[in-house]
Amino acid sequence: MSNTVDNVVLSVQNISKRYAGIQALDNVSIDFKEGETHALVGENGAGKSTLIKIISGAEIPDSGRLVFKDQTFEKLSPHLAQCIGIATIYQEFNLFPTLSVAENIFMGDEILSNERKYIYNKKYYIEKAKKVLESMKININPVELIENMTTAKMQLVEIAKAIAKNSKILIMDEPTAPLSTKETEDLFELIGRLKQQGVTIIYISHRLDELYQIADRVTVMRDGKKIITTKIEDITRQELIYHMTNRKVEEIEFESTWEKGDVAFEAQGLCGNGLKDISFKVRRGEILGIGGLLGAGRTELARIIFGADKAESGKILVHGKQVEIKSPKDAVFFGIAYVPEDRKHHGAILSLPINWNITLPILKRISNKGFLKKKEENAIVDNLKRSLRIKAASMSQNVESLSGGNQQKVVLAKWLASKASILILDEPTRGVDVGAKQEIYNLIADIAKQGKAVILISSDMGELLNISDRLMVLREKRIVGFLEKNEFSQNRVLAMASGVY
Amino acid sequence: MKLKLANFFKQYAIVAVLIALVIIFSILSPAFFTIKNAMNILRQIAVMSIVVVGFTFVLLGGGLDLSVGSQIAIMNVSIALMIENLGVNPILAIIIGIAMTTAIGLFNGYMISKTEIPPLIATLAMMTALRGLAFIFTKGYPIYGVPESLKFIGQGNIFNLIPVPAVITAAVIAFGIILLNKTYLGRHFYALGSNAEATRLAGINVHFTRTTTYTLLGFLTCIAGLVMLTRVGSGQPKIADGFEMNVLAACVLGGVSVNGGKGTIPGAIIGAIIIGVLNNGLSIIGANDYWQKVITGIVLFTVVVFDSISRKRRRS
């Protein structure tokens, strides 16, 4: 096996691609070796996705070649790419929710590989799926329906689908984004086993820390160009960020020196949505981090506080006064804001303009007898555009045309416009690139500095430990405990969250 | 600015279709391109346009209402029956009829919003039941007795030229444009139809907003129904049969998305004019009713296919 490690399995040669006047890829050449995990990093718009699309056949390059083993291709089609053994696992899975695992794994192959042509042989595929899953040491029942599965398991089915097709190259786009710490470890183990079988993994991630755990080599892209390809151990995190952004991004150590005020928010014995007896306080100017594994009840808690789901019992006090929150409308009325984890479906309305998104919660307030005061609206939007540095040609362009970081800024702007005094931020930097991440951290700090209370939910441990003033850890829908800043450590949080504490 | 320009061109394409139809019919028949015929067309599409405005609200909010034709029927026979059989004052009868039909719209909206039944099914049931009731109330016969004095609404002209229904329609269109562009409620319609959950999470009462779209449609349907009643002069259980499909076709032709959140009143009205011109032009050149249906279907299909193709091209 050792000498196969240096075999180049896929060679991307001098690929260029222009879209509508923008050079998305500029003469990019990369070699991918057999059995390696090759990380691809860069900010949004660096050209990673375009490159992936070309390798998987979804896009046709303007010039350049792809050499897969001994075959040279000017272009690929999705079908051809699959046939020669290139599989892609996108963030949004290509699975059929109402069908079983086995049916999903072999979808499209039935007619080709079945001796009894045109007649679907259920048993045969269940057996076949079982074998594939066993070979990968994945513990999933092949007759289970996709819609009943967790995100992590769906991802495993996607991988099984690729392996069943004998794929030699597996492209994974941000695979750990929806996973908990434990699930991430399981995924990494699986990737290790696939590598031993000679599968090449092309791995895209915004989480630089995990690259050092999983990647063999890394390629940095910026503005459509390849900047560098190197062994992961030969490059530091700082250097990676420098190559990605072409500027020194200071990863600011957070020190919240500002005053903490009175208690702004208090929950007493909150139950509902599976949660049991949740009591905590957040003070003005304080950032309370909520830690826990996936499914620990963090988002559920946020949704109850915001009135998006119903509380069964318990009290909520805002600035010392008990309030009744039955719907998001009530929550907004009492000055609570919620930035949901699913930005694209719950946070922003992608198909509407930026300015409409920003003023959505305050339209009534900026209206006179039902008529919008457009001047006031424009003034508010312009102000927030400047203070949040939202990068957009025009505020009347649709939110979907923005990068992830700028989309998130629009969602934040919406709640800053509403002058909310309590902000719940659920995964505020998911899918946001390094430079924009820092900007969002600074924004969160500014918000707290203004005397607002911030409740921060994040699966990014570094972020959670860095920004929070205090931590509350949840496990199985209950509070395990609180940590003060001087008690913060990754191991401690993980131990509390997983119950070995 | 960019957004407005794109919208303009999209509407421009549909305007081109309209101009092309006018030119074709003018060549085929000298009777088509006259002021008298233009007023005819106005009269014919006035009723439809009033409902199109309300229908646009509902479609924008992500809904659908198939019961508008039946709403008109039940309202018309009820008013006629009240006047003829119960001796109710005509004005009072009209007010009761309007209140009743607006309440049907409110009921539609409330039920759809609270129970999350697909609007297609909920309003299909409403459409069928109301139509049945209209026949039961009248035993299938038209009810006469609408007083002459009211016929001005449906048949009169201002300055002996402009039909009264056209004036009412213009007022309704102005109302629709102002509501959608100048008020927060209009903005809420767009938000609701674009992404209901995100709208709810922005602290907006989506039940109220959704119910309002259906209630407004119910109310505007009454206005249209009143024009029809006073034009026909009798309450007919068969009236406005299949009307909902014409209204839906007009909206879709005019670029209002059936998936919600996209569309404008001017666009939808141009859609209504196209349908009006098609029906009028085809009957002037002597095509029978059946061919009118066939050709309307073909035009609708063609426009929607072109729209879909051009959108795909713009995306890539």
Side-chain angles (χ1 to χ4, degrees):
Chain A
M1 286 303 270
S2 63
N3 58 346
T4 64
V5 167
D6 272 356
N7 282 352
V8 172
V9 57
L10 173 71
S11 170
V12 172
Q13 298 178 354
N14 308 97
I15 295 275
S16 292
K17 173 84 184 170
R18 274 180 90 82
Y19 285 113
I22 294 163
Q23 194 74 43
L25 285 179
D26 187 1
N27 202 19
V28 171
S29 303
I30 306 173
D31 286 340
F32 297 97
K33 295 175 184 170
E34 192 174 341
E36 76 167 345
T37 302
H38 194 124
L40 211 50
V41 299
E43 296 199 274
N44 289 329
K48 290 170 302 182
S49 344
T50 311
L51 182 64
I52 291 314
K53 281 183 187 157
I54 284 172
I55 297 175
S56 61
E59 293 279 358
I60 295 167
D62 296 337
S63 59
R65 286 177 308 280
L66 295 160
V67 181
F68 182 77
K69 294 185 178 163
D70 306 323
Q71 290 168 281
T72 302
F73 298 92
E74 297 285 328
K75 61 179 187 196
L76 288 171
S77 69
H79 182 72
L80 184 56
Q82 275 187 23
C83 289
I84 61 177
I86 299 173
T88 311
I89 298 172
Y90 292 102
Q91 276 171 283
E92 261 131 57
F93 301 141
N94 277 319
L95 295 173
F96 300 89
T98 54
L99 298 183
S100 71
V101 171
E103 283 163 325
N104 268 282
I105 290 178
F106 297 107
M107 179 59 68
D109 285 359
E110 298 94 339
I111 294 170
L112 292 176
S113 54
N114 192 348
E115 311 78 58
R116 286 202 256 160
K117 282 195 173 169
Y118 307 116
I119 295 168
Y120 180 64
N121 184 345
K122 201 169 176 180
K123 251 193 197 154
Y124 170 78
Y125 285 109
I126 291 171
E127 281 310 311
K128 226 174 136 182
K130 222 179 234 165
K131 268 181 214 149
V132 172
L133 294 167
E134 272 166 13
S135 78
M136 293 163 61
K137 294 185 188 154
I138 296 175
N139 185 20
I140 291 180
N141 184 348
V143 296
E144 200 177 333
L145 297 187
I146 299 294
E147 61 188 356
N148 301 333
M149 305 176 93
T150 61
T151 317
K153 281 195 174 174
M154 288 187 209
Q155 190 177 59
L156 295 177
V157 175
E158 279 276 16
I159 297 173
K161 220 166 93 182
I163 297 310
K165 292 198 170 87
N166 269 324
S167 300
K168 291 285 164 247
I169 293 181
L170 194 55
I171 304 168
M172 303 179 96
D173 188 3
E174 296 248 20
T176 58
L179 301 187
S180 69
T181 318
K182 171 79 175 65
E183 289 163 344
T184 302
E185 278 169 23
D186 292 347
L187 176 69
F188 287 174
E189 251 175 60
L190 176 60
I191 289 179
R193 285 199 291 277
L194 293 176
K195 270 164 65 175
Q196 280 177 358
Q197 293 167 24
V199 177
T200 303
I201 316 274
I202 302 178
Y203 190 94
I204 300 173
S205 181
H206 282 302
R207 297 182 176 176
L208 299 185
D209 291 332
E210 67 190 27
L211 300 188
Y212 289 92
Q213 252 175 290
I214 188 75
D216 299 308
R217 292 196 305 157
V218 57
T219 292
V220 182
M221 296 187 67
R222 186 177 75 233
D223 301 332
K225 295 190 185 73
K226 182 183 96 168
I227 303 301
I228 185 175
T229 298
T230 170
K231 284 186 176 166
I232 192 78
E233 56 266 29
D234 295 343
I235 190 164
T236 67
R237 195 186 143 87
Q238 281 304 324
E239 286 167 329
L240 268 180
I241 294 175
Y242 175 75
H243 286 307
M244 286 162 71
T245 57
N246 199 23
R247 62 195 149 95
K248 287 238 154 55
V249 174
E250 291 141 63
E251 287 196 280
I252 304 160
E253 280 291 317
F254 255 73
E255 195 66 63
S256 66
T257 47
W258 56 88
E259 289 273 305
K260 307 286 181 283
D262 307 332
V263 173
F265 178 89
E266 183 172 359
Q268 290 180 359
L270 224 47
C271 295
N273 225 346
L275 293 161
K276 301 265 156 56
D277 195 26
I278 305 287
S279 304
F280 66 95
K281 295 175 187 175
V282 195
R283 290 146 61 106
R284 286 161 153 273
E286 184 182 36
I287 302 171
L288 175 73
I290 303 185
L293 304 177
L294 211 80
R298 297 168 301 169
T299 296
E300 287 86 344
L301 175 59
R303 286 178 63 90
I304 281 199
I305 296 173
F306 192 63
D309 292 321
K310 285 209 171 70
E312 280 152 19
S313 61
K315 280 195 245 174
I316 287 175
L317 286 81
V318 172
H319 298 300
K321 259 189 249 159
Q322 189 180 341
V323 297
E324 188 136 354
I325 295 174
K326 285 186 183 155
S327 69
K329 191 181 167 220
D330 296 339
V332 172
F333 177 79
F334 293 116
I336 302 174
Y338 174 46
V339 174
E341 60 177 331
D342 187 347
R343 176 174 64 235
K344 293 192 159 130
H345 298 110
H346 298 158
I349 302 181
L350 297 181
S351 58
L352 290 184
I354 303 169
N355 49 3
W356 287 24
N357 266 278
I358 292 178
T359 54
L360 189 57
I362 57 160
L363 285 175
K364 260 188 207 179
R365 212 179 66 208
I366 56 168
S367 293
N368 185 9
K369 298 194 177 95
F371 287 89
L372 289 167
K373 294 187 264 183
K374 296 227 169 148
K375 268 190 195 159
E376 196 174 327
E377 179 180 23
N378 290 339
I380 290 172
V381 169
D382 284 344
N383 231 330
L384 284 162
K385 182 193 178 179
R386 243 174 293 127
S387 62
L388 270 68
R389 274 183 273 162
I390 297 170
K391 272 180 229 146
S394 151
M395 296 309 269
S396 53
Q397 79 192 61
N398 289 352
V399 174
E400 62 201 339
S401 65
L402 299 178
S403 68
N406 276 302
Q407 286 181 0
Q408 193 65 290
K409 284 187 197 170
V410 170
V411 179
L412 279 168
K414 175 163 92 175
W415 295 117
L416 295 181
S418 82
K419 306 211 168 94
S421 59
I422 297 152
L423 280 95
I424 309 167
L425 311 178
D426 197 350
E427 306 286 356
T429 62
R430 174 172 292 175
V432 167
D433 56 45
V434 190
K437 251 183 197 174
Q438 278 304 322
E439 280 189 73
I440 287 175
Y441 295 157
N442 291 338
L443 268 174
I444 296 173
D446 280 341
I447 290 167
K449 231 180 263 178
Q450 289 161 22
K452 300 181 179 194
V454 176
I455 299 171
L456 172 76
I457 298 170
S458 179
S459 300
D460 183 334
M461 190 63 82
E463 166 176 311
L464 200 63
L465 297 177
N466 189 13
I467 309 182
S468 310
D469 293 312
R470 204 154 57 90
L471 268 181
M472 172 168 95
V473 183
L474 297 182
R475 183 165 65 84
E476 287 168 10
K477 319 241 152 118
R478 288 170 190 274
I479 295 178
V480 195
F482 292 86
L483 291 175
E484 294 297 326
K485 189 106 190 171
N486 54 15
E487 303 170 297
F488 281 11
S489 84
Q490 187 154 345
N491 289 338
R492 192 139 178 204
V493 176
L494 275 179
M496 284 167 84
S498 52
V500 286
Y501 166 66
Chain B
M1 239 13 237
K2 240 184 207 166
L3 191 86
K4 279 186 187 152
L5 213 65
N7 269 344
F8 179 76
F9 276 114
K10 205 172 157 197
Q11 277 173 23
Y12 194 75
I14 200 75
V15 171
V17 171
L18 178 58
I19 292 171
L21 284 175
V22 169
I23 292 173
I24 292 170
F25 286 127
S26 301
I27 293 169
L28 290 177
S29 166
F32 179 79
F33 202 74
T34 60
I35 292 198
K36 186 162 168 276
N37 193 43
M39 290 306 134
N40 263 340
I41 296 177
L42 266 188
R43 208 186 287 274
Q44 284 161 359
I45 64 168
V47 174
M48 180 164 66
S49 300
I50 295 171
V51 181
V52 160
V53 170
F55 217 87
T56 303
F57 297 157
V58 169
L59 287 178
L60 282 181
L64 183 71
D65 190 346
L66 294 182
S67 68
V68 286
S70 299
Q71 284 178 30
I72 288 176
I74 196 80
M75 168 184 159
N76 284 6
V77 303
S78 306
I79 292 175
L81 279 171
M82 276 189 276
I83 297 172
E84 184 69 8
N85 292 8
L86 304 174
V88 178
N89 175 306
I91 302 293
L92 183 63
I94 287 172
I95 293 173
I96 295 173
I98 288 180
M100 196 182 74
T101 314
T102 309
I104 294 172
L106 187 138
F107 178 81
N108 274 341
Y110 187 81
M111 289 308 286
I112 288 166
S113 196
K114 283 287 174 189
T115 61
E116 291 175 22
I117 320 169
L120 179 81
I121 307 302
T123 61
L124 178 70
M126 184 58 88
M127 167 179 118
T128 314
L130 288 181
R131 182 69 68 182
L133 275 180
F135 276 96
I136 291 170
F137 286 170
T138 60
K139 303 194 176 65
Y141 296 108
I143 309 292
Y144 296 96
V146 176
E148 282 299 316
S149 55
L150 290 176
K151 291 190 178 164
F152 177 72
I153 302 174
Q155 299 171 5
N157 290 312
I158 290 174
F159 309 128
N160 278 329
L161 177 70
I162 307 165
V164 173
V167 176
I168 297 174
T169 307
V172 168
I173 292 172
F175 164 75
I177 291 176
I178 291 171
L179 182 80
L180 287 186
N181 293 302
K182 303 282 178 196
T183 72
Y184 72 80
L185 195 60
R187 199 70 77 71
H188 285 180
F189 292 173
Y190 280 101
L192 172 68
S194 299
N195 185 335
E197 181 62 6
T199 305
R200 185 174 84 100
L201 292 178
I204 287 159
N205 186 341
V206 288
H207 291 305
F208 173 80
T209 309
R210 190 177 284 122
T211 307
T212 305
T213 61
Y214 285 94
T215 311
L216 283 174
L217 172 60
F219 177 71
L220 293 178
T221 303
C222 297
I223 306 283
L226 187 61
V227 173
M228 273 192 184
L229 177 71
T230 52
R231 186 167 76 200
V232 181
S234 60
Q236 309 225 10
K238 265 193 295 217
I239 200 166
D241 196 17
F243 181 63
E244 56 283 336
M245 288 307 162
N246 269 330
V247 173
L248 178 61
C251 290
V252 173
L253 273 176
V256 183
S257 164
V258 286
N259 298 321
K262 278 202 172 70
T264 63
I265 298 282
I269 294 301
I270 290 171
I273 297 174
I274 288 179
I275 299 237
V277 165
L278 261 180
N279 288 343
N280 173 282
L282 287 169
S283 58
I284 280 185
I285 63 167
N288 66 28
D289 276 9
Y290 309 127
W291 278 109
Q292 288 184 23
K293 279 184 194 271
V294 172
I295 291 171
T296 309
I298 292 172
V299 170
L300 178 64
F301 184 76
T302 315
V303 168
V304 176
V305 166
F306 268 102
D307 182 52
S308 173
I309 290 171
S310 72
R311 227 177 312 150
K312 244 186 195 167
R313 215 173 275 158
R314 223 173 303 147
R315 226 178 297 147
S316 67

